[in-house]
Amino acid sequence: MRRSSAYIPVSTAAALLVTSSTLFFVFTCPWLAVNVSPVFPPCVGIVFLFVMANFIMATFMDAGVFPRANEDEDKDEDFRAPLYKNVEVRGVQVRMKWCASCHFYRPPRCSHCSVCDQCVEDFDHHCPWVNNCIGRRNYRFFFLFLLSLTLHMVGVFSGGLLYVLDHPENLWELHTAVALAVMSVSALFFIPVLGLSCFHLVLVARGRTTNEQVTGKFQGGVNPFTRGCCQNVQFVLFSPITPRYTEKLGERLPLHIQPPFHQPESHKLSPDGSVLSQILPVKSLEEVDAPDSKSLTCPPPLPPKPDPVLLKNHLAALEESLLQSRALMLSGHSMNPLQTSESPTKVLYQVPRDQMGSRISPLVPQEHASEPSLLQPENHANALTLNSRSLSLKHSSRRGSQRAEIPHASQSVLSGRTGSLSYDSLLHPAGVQPAFLPMDPGLSRGCVDVQRLPARNCSPVFMHINREPSPVRYDSLPKPLMSSIQERREPDDKDKPMQDSGIYDTPSRRSLPQDLRGLSSSRGPTPPAYGSREFLLSSAAYGYGSRSHLSSSSSSSLTRAPRTTSSPLHFNRSLSPSIYQSLDRQSQLPPSTLPAPLPTSSYGPQKALAYIRGGERPEPEL
Amino acid sequence: MATEFHNLQELRHSASLATKVFIQRDYRDSTICKFQTKFPAELDSRIERSLFEETLKTLNCYYAEAEKIGGQSYLEGCLACATAYIIFLCMETRYEKILKKISMYIQEQNEKIYAPRGLLLTDPIERGMRVIEISIFEDSGSTSSSSSGSSPSSSTAQ
């Protein structure tokens, strides 16, 4: 609702225009018709009608207002999006600015009007004399209004002058006085109106808007929007009027969307062929519409935090066991512990063993086989765990109130599941890992969103992590220790990116089936070891109580992150380059990953610190 | 997966909105209305690339035709001026006619191609012609009749 004072200029302009013209027609035109020409008054009349028509159109026509963006569209933009996005227009880089009010990147030439509080397409200026924005849809009316008003003023002034010159002795007579008054008003406003008309003539010829001219956008550079003088004039005057964007749309026919859905021919599931694409629908889903997702329930409350002293003791024990287990892994006898593994693998993959085994085994021969069934709701917990962790990292600095919810989700998930990976699933990379979507913007909406995310993104990092069957000693150690060991091993692992230097590295790369190794190597210089460590660190860092330690560097990296295209894991880059670059690369891998023995959420705050430190280290391999 | 359930009459499916993909405008040719034809990764397993690209190319053609400055647009402009723009109250402009065509085309595409694949195109006019919104639905699981009283449900979109 605009202030009532905003209506003063438009009312004044309208009143002056109508009153002066009416007086001219009533008092001066009869004499002009008789003594000058009978054509003169009708011409002035037509011009006046044209002025009024354009004035009314410029006043009441929608300038090309963009409606506010829906929540769905901007939910991945608000927190991490940079302020500007570059786009190329005819070879010239144009900056699109994020509009905080309208929640989208303003298209080129669009600007937000502070008076109207709307983004306007091809924004020219906000004109107080018509009390309206001048934009793409009504610029021609405004321009024609100016031109026709100039012409009308010239006609009225000249008609009045002729009359006054013919009646010099009766200057105080009514008709003469009125003619003089009309002449004065015309003369008073003629100069500014003429100036404005000439200004807009030049703008139209150069293909610029007032906004661009005044802000000096193209002063030293090239205007990519110009088409040449004639084409610019043609565009302004004769281009079709674009539709109103804010109009209420008519009723549409209802459309029923009912599964089962058709699959593309190349992605049909077959026993022999790759089922990679089967996983992609879920894998690529990166945004979840909160109100529509019903598959997950709210998480239970967070379990109590571990004792730091106890954690340290456990850490030492875990480290020792890991050293031993590492030797075992390298020797290739690491498969056996899988069957006896307990808490780590159970925690990581809370999938009923029988389900995993039965679903994965038929796909075992497939190198890239993914297990769509793994993405069933029962797998959501696993994805939930990861997603909640990553979510907490991403939004730790922004949503303190939501932080507590995320570990809740992970804790509940972990505690609620009792299944464990089947030996077969761990042996063969046929299983699809629970979705790891650290940067899913949808998760920022709260725990409910986090839970809904699940199972929709497969993390190839899992594959790397869990290629090495978890050593038997992992099972007996508390999770916080594992991340500590991760932390300690990081410097070593950095030096030997391709070697098996960590618990969650892929020392088994040597022991992996040839196809898997080929698979990873064919994907480029991905250091799975590092990536897996990073990943585990990140997941470890989201144990309860670790959120407070997420550094501002992580959050600042969010805002600095360049906006990328809609790849599921592209968001990761803004969060932690080292971690998510590896994840991003690995996201290009087929999701034929083994479940990784992720540490559970029982990590203390120091693990979060470890994560952050690890995350900030430069990643030479990447 | 679809074939598994065809014979199981007692199983019912429901779809839920999973995510949305936004096809942005292509500004390379200045501010004319044109959408990027780059195939989004999220649709890779849901629809054939050729179908998607054909839809987008057709839409771009429609918009290009709507915004073409030619004989008809000159006629409309002059007529509008001559009638002091009263003609806008009586007649539909060419752009509006093409927009209706576009709306019908999108509806038809949704019915024939996208809805069977669990996708839904949203007319860009609803988003200010800035994006084409593609909603991706997924099968939110089946409910069998044995689990008492579940009835078939489907997502309806308008």
Side-chain angles (χ1 to χ4, degrees):
Chain A
M1 183 72 182
R2 292 182 196 172
R3 299 191 310 270
S4 54
S5 61
Y7 295 100
I8 293 173
V10 62
S11 311
T12 309
L16 271 174
L17 182 63
V18 171
T19 309
S20 304
S21 301
T22 309
L23 287 173
F24 174 82
F25 286 121
V26 167
F27 290 96
T28 315
C29 278
W31 182 88
L32 288 169
V34 168
N35 293 291
V36 176
S37 167
V39 177
F40 189 81
C43 288
V44 179
I46 288 169
V47 173
F48 174 68
L49 268 176
F50 199 63
V51 170
M52 288 309 296
N54 285 298
F55 179 75
I56 289 168
M57 291 299 272
T59 303
F60 295 109
M61 188 163 211
D62 185 310
V65 166
F66 285 114
R68 298 277 204 271
N70 274 1
E71 252 187 8
D72 308 332
E73 191 184 337
D74 74 340
K75 69 180 167 184
D76 62 333
E77 305 258 29
D78 257 344
F79 301 111
R80 293 170 297 106
L83 191 57
Y84 294 99
K85 188 164 92 164
N86 281 336
V87 71
E88 194 181 298
V89 177
R90 292 196 182 152
V92 177
Q93 287 290 320
V94 172
R95 225 167 45 166
M96 301 205 305
K97 191 177 176 184
W98 172 260
C99 185
S101 308
C102 303
H103 302 289
F104 53 76
Y105 283 99
R106 294 175 195 150
R109 308 198 103 176
C110 165
S111 192
H112 190 93
C113 175
S114 54
V115 177
C116 306
D117 193 25
Q118 301 276 1
C119 267
V120 175
E121 190 179 8
D122 287 7
F123 178 76
D124 193 83
H125 68 285
H126 181 92
C127 182
W129 302 105
V130 299
N131 194 30
N132 195 17
C133 271
I134 306 299
R136 181 168 182 175
R137 294 185 80 236
N138 63 356
Y139 182 77
R140 78 191 64 201
F141 305 118
F142 176 78
F143 180 64
L144 289 173
F145 166 68
L146 284 179
L147 293 181
S148 56
L149 184 62
T150 308
L151 194 62
H152 181 63
M153 281 175 164
V154 168
V156 164
F157 184 83
S158 55
L161 184 67
L162 282 173
Y163 183 90
V164 166
L165 286 176
D166 199 63
H167 297 83
E169 68 287 357
N170 301 334
L171 283 180
W172 298 114
E173 193 198 4
L174 177 66
H175 288 66
T176 318
V178 166
L180 269 174
V182 169
M183 274 174 63
S184 312
V185 169
S186 300
L188 185 67
F189 288 101
F190 179 72
I191 303 294
V193 170
L194 180 69
L196 201 57
S197 302
C198 293
F199 176 67
H200 278 275
L201 267 171
V202 170
L203 286 185
V204 166
R206 297 179 83 173
R208 292 186 189 183
T209 64
T210 306
N211 191 44
E212 288 164 355
Q213 179 68 31
V214 164
T215 55
K217 265 190 194 151
F218 307 123
Q219 251 174 7
V222 178
N223 180 4
F225 305 106
T226 183
R227 299 171 175 82
C229 181
C230 293
Q231 295 280 324
N232 292 336
V233 173
Q234 185 190 52
F235 178 77
V236 166
L237 296 180
F238 296 110
S239 66
I241 298 177
T242 51
R244 280 191 74 174
Y245 302 138
T246 50
E247 227 165 35
K248 282 194 200 299
L249 299 156
E251 286 297 316
R252 294 177 187 272
L253 294 172
L255 197 66
H256 290 268
I257 297 177
Q258 168 118 30
F261 298 134
H262 293 182
Q263 293 282 336
E265 286 300 322
S266 58
H267 291 276
K268 292 247 165 79
L269 175 59
S270 68
D272 302 341
S274 167
V275 295
L276 170 64
S277 60
Q278 283 285 336
I279 214 64
L280 288 179
V282 292
K283 175 188 174 182
S284 63
L285 297 175
E286 52 182 335
E287 293 172 301
V288 178
D289 192 14
D292 294 331
S293 185
K294 311 176 192 70
S295 56
L296 296 173
T297 58
C298 286
L302 197 60
K305 297 184 182 184
D307 179 17
V309 175
L310 181 63
L311 287 175
K312 282 183 185 173
N313 297 335
H314 287 165
L315 176 63
L318 178 64
E319 190 173 14
E320 201 183 323
S321 68
L322 286 173
L323 282 168
Q324 297 178 9
S325 64
R326 184 179 171 181
L328 286 175
M329 291 191 291
L330 291 172
S331 69
H333 296 295
S334 54
M335 295 308 193
N336 291 329
L338 279 176
Q339 289 176 329
T340 58
S341 65
E342 293 178 15
S343 48
T345 49
K346 280 182 188 172
V347 166
L348 292 171
Y349 283 89
Q350 309 276 346
V351 177
R353 178 187 285 264
D354 54 352
Q355 286 184 8
M356 290 288 291
S358 60
R359 285 170 183 172
I360 295 169
S361 44
L363 303 172
V364 159
Q366 303 310 318
E367 175 179 313
H368 298 282
S370 57
E371 180 53 56
S373 59
L374 286 177
L375 301 172
Q376 296 300 319
E378 61 265 25
N379 291 339
H380 290 181
N382 302 319
L384 179 63
T385 304
L386 299 169
N387 295 330
S388 62
R389 287 171 178 157
S390 57
L391 175 62
S392 63
L393 174 63
K394 172 182 147 192
H395 294 284
S396 59
S397 65
R398 296 178 181 271
R399 300 203 174 210
S401 61
Q402 292 185 0
R403 290 174 188 173
E405 299 171 347
I406 293 162
H408 287 187
S410 53
Q411 284 298 312
S412 65
V413 164
L414 297 171
S415 59
R417 305 290 180 175
T418 55
S420 57
L421 291 171
S422 69
Y423 178 73
D424 282 344
S425 65
L426 290 169
L427 262 183
H428 304 283
V432 169
Q433 314 320 310
F436 175 70
L437 194 65
M439 296 306 289
D440 192 298
L443 295 179
S444 64
R445 300 269 166 102
C447 65
V448 177
D449 297 293
V450 172
Q451 295 171 346
R452 294 196 183 113
L453 189 74
R456 293 196 179 125
N457 291 279
C458 305
S459 171
V461 177
F462 275 104
M463 168 169 64
H464 295 293
I465 292 169
N466 206 24
R467 274 183 194 159
E468 180 56 31
S470 58
V472 60
R473 288 174 208 268
Y474 292 157
D475 308 339
S476 57
L477 296 169
K479 286 91 185 173
L481 300 180
M482 291 204 258
S483 64
S484 306
I485 294 169
Q486 292 281 309
E487 189 184 335
R488 292 184 189 187
R489 289 193 182 282
E490 253 188 50
D492 301 331
D493 297 329
K494 284 261 183 198
D495 299 333
K496 315 174 222 175
M498 303 310 286
Q499 294 183 14
D500 308 321
S501 54
I503 300 171
Y504 305 105
D505 287 350
T506 58
S508 58
R509 286 183 73 195
R510 296 186 200 126
S511 57
L512 277 174
Q514 184 60 41
D515 53 357
L516 280 183
R517 269 174 293 171
L519 178 68
S520 60
S521 58
S522 67
R523 291 176 193 138
T526 306
Y530 186 83
S532 59
R533 271 203 309 286
E534 289 294 290
F535 173 77
L536 287 168
L537 277 175
S538 67
S539 51
Y542 295 102
Y544 46 82
S546 63
R547 292 168 302 283
S548 58
H549 292 271
L550 294 171
S551 70
S552 59
S553 63
S554 300
S555 54
S556 61
S557 68
L558 296 174
T559 55
R560 287 197 300 271
R563 175 161 164 72
T564 58
T565 55
S566 57
S567 159
L569 293 182
H570 275 171
F571 299 124
N572 303 341
R573 289 202 178 115
S574 64
L575 185 54
S576 172
S578 57
I579 293 181
Y580 294 108
Q581 278 173 11
S582 64
L583 289 172
D584 190 36
R585 290 190 189 185
Q586 293 166 2
S587 70
Q588 298 159 13
L589 310 177
S592 56
T593 62
L594 286 171
L598 286 179
T600 58
S601 59
S602 57
Y603 293 117
Q606 61 270 31
K607 305 308 169 283
L609 284 171
Y611 162 70
I612 291 165
R613 287 197 296 272
E616 290 170 8
R617 283 181 194 155
E619 185 56 29
E621 297 87 5
L622 301 175
Chain B
M1 194 163 157
T3 54
E4 288 177 38
F5 294 111
H6 278 330
N7 300 326
L8 301 173
Q9 295 174 3
E10 61 270 11
L11 286 178
R12 300 284 181 260
H13 295 266
S14 63
S16 62
L17 180 66
T19 188
K20 291 184 181 182
V21 178
F22 296 97
I23 311 291
Q24 300 288 334
R25 280 271 292 271
D26 182 0
Y27 291 110
R28 282 176 299 180
D29 286 334
S30 189
T31 48
I32 61 166
C33 187
K34 195 174 164 193
F35 291 94
Q36 293 177 357
T37 51
K38 182 171 153 271
F39 189 65
E42 292 87 345
L43 300 180
D44 194 27
S45 61
R46 302 300 294 260
I47 189 168
E48 287 86 350
R49 185 181 286 254
S50 58
L51 285 174
F52 173 81
E53 283 175 0
E54 192 196 323
T55 305
L56 272 197
K57 275 181 191 160
T58 311
L59 282 176
N60 283 340
C61 283
Y62 272 124
Y63 286 118
E65 191 195 331
E67 296 194 347
K68 196 175 70 172
I69 302 174
Q72 193 160 0
S73 67
Y74 272 100
L75 189 64
E76 268 181 6
C78 293
L79 198 62
C81 264
T83 59
Y85 311 112
I86 294 170
I87 197 79
F88 290 139
L89 300 170
C90 314
M91 234 177 63
E92 205 176 50
T93 64
R94 186 161 149 269
Y95 207 123
E96 284 164 356
K97 284 183 194 149
I98 294 181
L99 280 182
K100 283 197 176 156
K101 273 199 229 170
I102 289 170
S103 184
M104 281 173 47
Y105 174 75
I106 288 177
Q107 177 81 8
E108 178 210 338
Q109 288 283 296
N110 274 333
E111 282 168 8
K112 288 187 187 164
I113 295 174
Y114 289 85
R117 288 168 172 77
L119 301 172
L120 184 73
L121 286 181
T122 302
D123 198 333
I125 193 74
E126 297 177 29
R127 300 284 178 264
M129 305 273 266
R130 290 180 300 104
V131 288
I132 296 178
E133 183 183 304
I134 303 177
S135 306
I136 300 177
F137 292 88
E138 65 167 15
D139 187 354
S140 57
S142 61
T143 57
S144 69
S145 60
S146 62
S147 63
S148 58
S150 59
S151 54
S153 64
S154 61
S155 302
T156 60
Q158 296 192 350

